[in-house]
Amino acid sequence: MTLISTLIAVDTMDETTVKFEGSKLVDSTGNPTEVALLVLAHDLGHDYQEIRDNTRGRSDKGELAEFLVEGKQIGFSSARKMMSWAVPIESGGYRIYCKGATEVLVARCTHELVNTDNVDSSVEISNDSRQDILSVAEAYARRGMRTLGLAFKDIAVGVDFDAKSETLLNSDGSEALCIETELVFVGLVGIEDPLRPEVPGAIKTCYDAGIDVRLVTGDSPNTAVSIAYQAGILQDFHFIDAGVEKVASNLKPNVLMEGKTFRRKIYRIDEDGNKEFDQTAFDVVWPHLRVLARSSPDDKLTLAHGLNQSMLFMDQKICKQLKSVDNIIIFPDRQVVAMTGDGTNDAPALKRADIGFAMGISGTQIAKDAADIILLDDNFASIVTAAKWGRNVYASIQKFLQFQLTVNISAVVTALVGSFAYAKSPLAAIQLLWVNLIMDSLASLALASEPPTDGLLKRAPTNRSKSIIASRMWANMFGQAFYQICVIMFLLFFGPEVFGFEDGHLVESDDGLYPGWQKEKSVHYTLIFNTFVWMQLFNEVNSRCLQGEVNVFRGIEKNPLFCGILTITVVLQIIMVEFGGLAMSVAEDGLEGKYWGVSMAFGSGSLIIQQVINLLYKYGYFSYGLWRERRRINSDRRISTMHIGQ
């Protein structure tokens, strides 16, 4: 047990630390796999830090610190799938401690450690022992555990640390280091990294939101399958026989791939012997691929690049075939790729992806620098939160644009018609400035402060090429603008007759050349201004909803900023109309109560008009869709019955 604890303490990174209070783990930093190993060393009764501090070539404290350079670290690489650390020993030479993928380490071991009468000794490893070790590792993997092999080797003085083996190769085909061969197998550890309870729900939410989740991992295929099935990335229909054990061999073609198989399929060798990425081959693989096991950081980069460049959505024939045969729906635009990573080698993939997520706790600084977003809690569920807020920002911009453009349309038409009819706009410049303040500043704050809702994750993703102003927004804008213009035109041309006040253009005509003339503002134009503003205020509430919702007040109580801004705007409007006088170009005595009622009635009419717009859009859009479908069917029928040469 001492050897196992020493191996773990020496062959782990300094950045990985654990803190205990008694027997309870209270804090940890660094790589989660190494954290688990350090916990194992603690459970075996050893303090990893004490072992490090008392190991020559590993300690950076006290008298041994000057010998730190004698230690030789061979860091983990995806090519070797192992990590080693050599430290000098008292008898001379070095002892190299190794940990790595079980199948890799077992293949490099020529001996195994056995304990006889409490005495450790190494014996030649037999084929049966190798098979027993791999069988246990396979059993662990099927239970979703990550397995690691532990081994060591004593090296003579003067060994060449850079010498390459002529018989053993690394996973990528390169020559293995001689010092990492002919090892003594010490043990096998199975590390369970249980999913956080919220992860399966978060992944289901991603699927509901049109976000497709793929697992890219360095774990063995069976470990990856177990984790992916627990998380919900793999479903029963991905397996050939859902009634038997969920293992890699039971998956349908291309659902799971190992990194080496993935690379072999999507790279072709050119005439000069160089590897060249084959986008066509990649497009055959990626719609089915759910899990990429035993992968390297380069596989992540390749996956991000291939998905980003894929134009498969343009091949309607293939898309229909994938949907009908495999129930795979291809997003009708270029893929938007998000990639997670925590290691230094993940940085290129994080940069290449449209959105890179780095881990705030376990991630390296290089990975954080390369990422667009850092997950402070290393929790996948936070990605869902990021997606929700991202969609909320987009929706807030749409809400503001819808409101602003509606105001612009109605204000411009009102000013033009008034100028053409009476050579005077019914809305004064100072009033338009106030409307502009409502439109640009207060409304932008109010509509941008809408908190995200779970309903945002029920919508399909937005295409890259889709206009930010959707067709329903155009319907809302023109519908509300049409209503507002009709109301203002009614008040402008028929208001004096209906309500019994003098025409505004006569009251406000410039008769300054005549004796006794006094400048005054009309009740007529004041009513128009007040009504116009109230229609904008009610339409601001309408603009909270973009999808034709019936209850436009839903959730308004959860946004105190919106309610506060709306209330402040109403109070300021009342003050300006009643006490603004000439400064605000309104009637000196303000408006009577009945005219306030008229203004609010016309303003609240925006709420009713919005429901009419929703109905017209719903049935009009549905009828248009039926017409297009009938036209397509008739066109297909004509083509299918057309004689050759016709």
Side-chain angles (χ1 to χ4, degrees):
M1 296 303 176
T2 302
L3 178 59
I4 293 176
S5 299
T6 302
L7 190 155
I8 291 172
V10 172
D11 197 23
T12 46
M13 300 295 293
D14 289 335
E15 292 81 5
T16 304
T17 63
V18 292
K19 182 180 179 181
F20 290 90
E21 289 183 359
S23 60
K24 182 180 179 182
L25 178 66
V26 294
D27 191 23
S28 65
T29 60
N31 184 283
T33 299
E34 292 192 341
V35 168
L37 291 174
L38 295 181
V39 171
L40 173 62
H42 178 271
D43 292 343
L44 293 175
H46 296 87
D47 184 342
Y48 80 94
Q49 193 61 57
E50 183 179 341
I51 295 174
R52 286 183 186 174
D53 292 343
N54 290 285
T55 301
R56 181 168 174 163
R58 190 67 178 84
S59 173
D60 58 355
K61 297 178 180 177
E63 296 178 356
L64 294 177
E66 60 181 298
F67 303 108
L68 180 62
V69 294
E70 295 181 0
K72 310 291 184 182
Q73 180 194 4
I74 308 172
F76 175 85
S77 72
S78 55
R80 291 166 34 253
K81 297 191 183 301
M82 60 185 297
M83 172 185 175
S84 303
W85 206 306
V87 293
I89 53 180
E90 293 181 2
S91 58
Y94 286 84
R95 173 167 288 184
I96 184 168
Y97 296 105
C98 307
K99 72 175 191 292
T102 306
E103 68 275 13
V104 173
L105 237 62
V106 169
R108 298 186 180 208
C109 289
T110 56
H111 292 73
E112 61 179 329
L113 193 68
V114 296
N115 185 278
T116 306
D117 297 329
N118 293 324
V119 177
D120 291 336
S121 60
S122 64
V123 298
E124 189 173 346
I125 190 169
S126 64
N127 288 331
D128 289 341
S129 292
R130 293 180 194 274
Q131 194 55 48
D132 288 343
I133 295 169
L134 294 176
S135 296
V136 173
E138 184 73 12
Y140 283 168
R142 292 187 178 196
R143 291 162 54 188
M145 292 185 178
R146 180 178 297 120
T147 63
L148 286 177
L150 306 177
F152 78 98
K153 174 185 176 180
D154 289 337
I155 306 171
V157 178
V159 70
D160 182 2
F161 279 85
D162 296 323
K164 301 295 179 66
S165 171
E166 297 179 357
T167 55
L168 279 175
L169 301 177
N170 292 318
S171 299
D172 66 345
S174 60
E175 295 175 333
L177 294 171
C178 286
I179 59 171
E180 292 184 327
T181 62
E182 300 180 358
L183 303 172
V184 179
F185 186 80
V186 175
L188 170 71
V189 294
I191 302 173
E192 184 177 15
D193 187 8
L195 291 173
R196 298 190 186 194
E198 63 270 20
V199 169
I203 289 178
K204 183 180 184 303
T205 302
C206 283
Y207 285 134
D208 292 341
I211 302 171
D212 204 359
V213 183
R214 316 287 173 99
L215 175 63
V216 183
T217 176
D219 290 331
S220 66
N222 283 326
T223 302
V225 168
S226 177
I227 294 172
Y229 185 73
Q230 294 176 50
I233 296 173
L234 290 178
Q235 304 287 337
D236 287 341
F237 59 81
H238 289 119
F239 294 89
I240 298 171
D241 186 351
V244 300
E245 191 177 8
K246 306 296 189 297
V247 293
S249 58
N250 188 26
L251 285 168
K252 294 178 180 177
N254 291 336
V255 173
L256 175 140
M257 280 189 184
E258 290 192 57
K260 58 184 179 182
T261 306
F262 176 71
R263 292 187 290 272
R264 187 172 63 248
K265 284 195 172 187
I266 65 170
Y267 281 99
R268 59 171 178 259
I269 307 299
D270 62 18
E271 296 176 354
D272 298 326
N274 299 317
K275 288 197 305 182
E276 188 178 64
F277 178 72
D278 187 347
Q279 185 68 52
T280 303
F282 181 85
D283 286 343
V284 173
V285 170
W286 77 259
H288 303 274
L289 185 65
R290 315 300 305 171
V291 179
L292 188 58
R294 287 290 186 226
S295 65
S296 68
D298 286 342
D299 294 332
K300 274 190 173 183
L301 177 60
T302 300
L303 196 60
H305 174 77
L307 286 171
N308 191 271
Q309 296 297 316
S310 178
M311 304 298 286
L312 183 62
F313 69 93
M314 298 184 68
D315 192 331
Q316 295 300 316
K317 181 179 178 181
I318 296 295
C319 291
K320 288 180 180 179
Q321 181 180 344
L322 287 170
K323 184 176 181 180
S324 61
V325 177
D326 302 300
N327 196 29
I328 296 174
I329 300 175
I330 302 298
F331 185 63
D333 206 336
R334 279 179 50 220
Q335 302 293 313
V336 178
V337 184
M339 187 71 71
T340 63
D342 57 4
T344 300
N345 292 334
D346 292 327
L350 296 177
K351 273 287 188 185
R352 182 65 184 84
D354 294 291
I355 307 166
F357 288 94
M359 302 300 141
I361 299 174
S362 61
T364 64
Q365 189 59 46
I366 293 176
K368 294 176 185 178
D369 292 341
D372 301 292
I373 299 174
I374 298 174
L375 303 180
L376 298 178
D377 56 359
D378 285 12
N379 194 341
F380 181 85
S382 298
I383 296 178
V384 178
T385 304
K388 185 192 294 186
W389 275 98
R391 292 190 177 189
N392 188 61
V393 169
Y394 187 82
S396 295
I397 295 172
Q398 287 184 308
K399 293 172 185 178
F400 174 65
L401 285 176
Q402 177 177 289
F403 176 74
Q404 185 182 48
L405 293 177
T406 302
V407 179
N408 285 343
I409 294 170
S410 54
V412 168
V413 172
T414 299
L416 286 175
V417 171
S419 299
F420 286 140
Y422 302 122
K424 180 179 178 60
S425 170
L427 296 175
I430 188 65
Q431 294 171 350
L432 287 174
L433 285 174
W434 168 235
V435 170
N436 195 60
L437 180 63
I438 297 175
M439 177 179 67
D440 282 344
S441 302
L442 298 179
S444 63
L445 283 174
L447 294 173
S449 64
E450 283 289 316
T453 63
D454 292 337
L456 291 169
L457 296 176
K458 304 277 185 199
R459 302 177 188 172
T462 303
N463 294 5
R464 287 175 180 263
S465 55
K466 187 176 181 180
S467 171
I468 193 172
I469 303 178
S471 57
R472 184 181 285 275
M473 291 172 62
W474 285 114
N476 293 340
M477 287 188 295
F478 283 118
Q480 288 289 346
F482 178 76
Y483 167 71
Q484 292 176 13
I485 291 169
C486 288
V487 169
I488 296 302
M489 293 304 103
F490 168 77
L491 292 176
L492 181 62
F493 294 111
F494 303 103
E497 181 180 346
V498 173
F499 297 107
F501 44 63
E502 194 173 354
D503 281 336
H505 69 282
L506 297 177
V507 174
E508 299 186 19
S509 59
D510 189 357
D511 293 333
L513 297 176
Y514 299 94
W517 176 83
Q518 290 185 346
K519 186 175 183 179
E520 61 178 321
K521 298 299 177 180
S522 66
V523 172
H524 182 196
Y525 283 178
T526 303
L527 177 61
I528 289 176
F529 165 61
N530 197 40
T531 302
F532 183 83
V533 170
W534 277 99
M535 287 191 294
Q536 309 314 321
L537 293 176
F538 278 99
N539 191 43
E540 189 174 336
V541 178
N542 285 328
S543 296
R544 296 179 62 247
C545 302
L546 297 169
Q547 304 298 318
E549 293 87 343
V550 175
N551 184 8
V552 294
F553 292 97
R554 184 177 181 180
I556 196 172
E557 74 283 355
K558 298 178 182 178
N559 188 357
L561 184 59
F562 182 93
C563 297
I565 289 175
L566 197 63
T567 301
I568 291 172
T569 307
V570 168
V571 171
L572 290 175
Q573 177 66 17
I574 293 173
I575 293 173
M576 289 178 182
V577 171
E578 290 300 312
F579 307 105
L582 290 177
M584 285 301 299
S585 291
V586 297
E588 185 176 353
D589 296 327
L591 290 176
E592 297 178 17
K594 63 180 180 180
Y595 296 137
W596 277 100
V598 170
S599 298
M600 293 183 184
F602 279 127
S604 61
S606 296
L607 301 176
I608 301 172
I609 291 298
Q610 185 60 51
Q611 302 307 314
V612 174
I613 294 170
N614 292 343
L615 289 173
L616 291 175
Y617 181 87
K618 178 180 178 181
Y619 292 107
Y621 191 81
F622 179 72
S623 300
Y624 175 70
L626 288 178
W627 173 78
R628 284 192 62 183
E629 183 64 16
R630 274 194 238 102
R631 184 179 177 185
R632 184 188 65 79
I633 293 173
N634 291 335
S635 177
D636 291 345
R637 187 182 294 118
R638 285 196 302 271
I639 293 173
S640 62
T641 56
M642 189 179 296
H643 294 292
I644 297 176
Q646 184 174 347

